[in-house]
Amino acid sequence: MAKDKSPDDPPRGYTTEDVAATPAPLPKRNRHWKLKGIGTVLVLLPLAVIALWTWITISYTYSAGERVGYVQKFSKKGWLCHTWEGELPMVIPNQAQVVPEVFKFTVRSDSIARAIQAAEGRRVSLGYKQHRGIPFTCFGETQYFVDGVRVVGTQ
C-alpha cells in the first residue's frame, strides 16, 4: 500500500547538484597529538643521546702508544659486527720467571689483521689508540684499537 504523495511533500533522493552543494564534513580533530609528540620525543631522544655518545667515544682518543711482544691469540669474533680480537703477552727480557702482562686488543681493519697474521711467531710492536666508554661491544671487545703493526728484531 503506497501512500499518496501530496504536493507539499519534498522530493525524495539526491541529485548531482545537491551533492555538490553540501558542505564537506569537518575533519576529525586529533585530540591526542600532544601525547603522540611526547611519545615520539621519549623514543627518539634516548636514541639520539646513545648515537651521540657512541660517536664521541669512537672519535675521541683517550691515549695512544705502542706495545711490544708476541701475538699469542688472534681471531675474528662477533655475531653481527665482526672484529679481530687478540692477545699480546708482553715479556720482559732476561726475566723468565716473571708472569707476562697480557695486552688484549681489537683490530677493525682487515689489512692490519693480515699484517699481524703475516708476523705471527715474531716479535711485533702494535700501535694502538685507546677509546674509553664505548657503549657496545659491536665496535670491539676491548678499548684498545690497533692501528699499526711492525716487526721488531729478526727473531
Side-chain angles (χ1 to χ4, degrees), residues 102-115:
V102 176
F103 173 64
K104 294 183 179 186
F105 61 90
T106 298
V107 177
R108 292 172 48 189
S109 169
D110 286 337
S111 61
I112 293 175
R114 284 192 297 273

Side-chain angles (χ1 to χ4, degrees), residues 88-104:
L88 180 89
M90 297 178 297
V91 181
I92 301 172
N94 300 328
Q95 296 199 9
Q97 296 189 5
V98 177
V99 177
E101 179 184 345
V102 176
F103 173 64
K104 294 183 179 186

Side-chain angles (χ1 to χ4, degrees), residues 57-68:
T57 57
I58 290 175
S59 300
Y60 179 73
T61 300
Y62 179 74
S63 71
E66 287 190 5
R67 301 279 175 111
V68 178

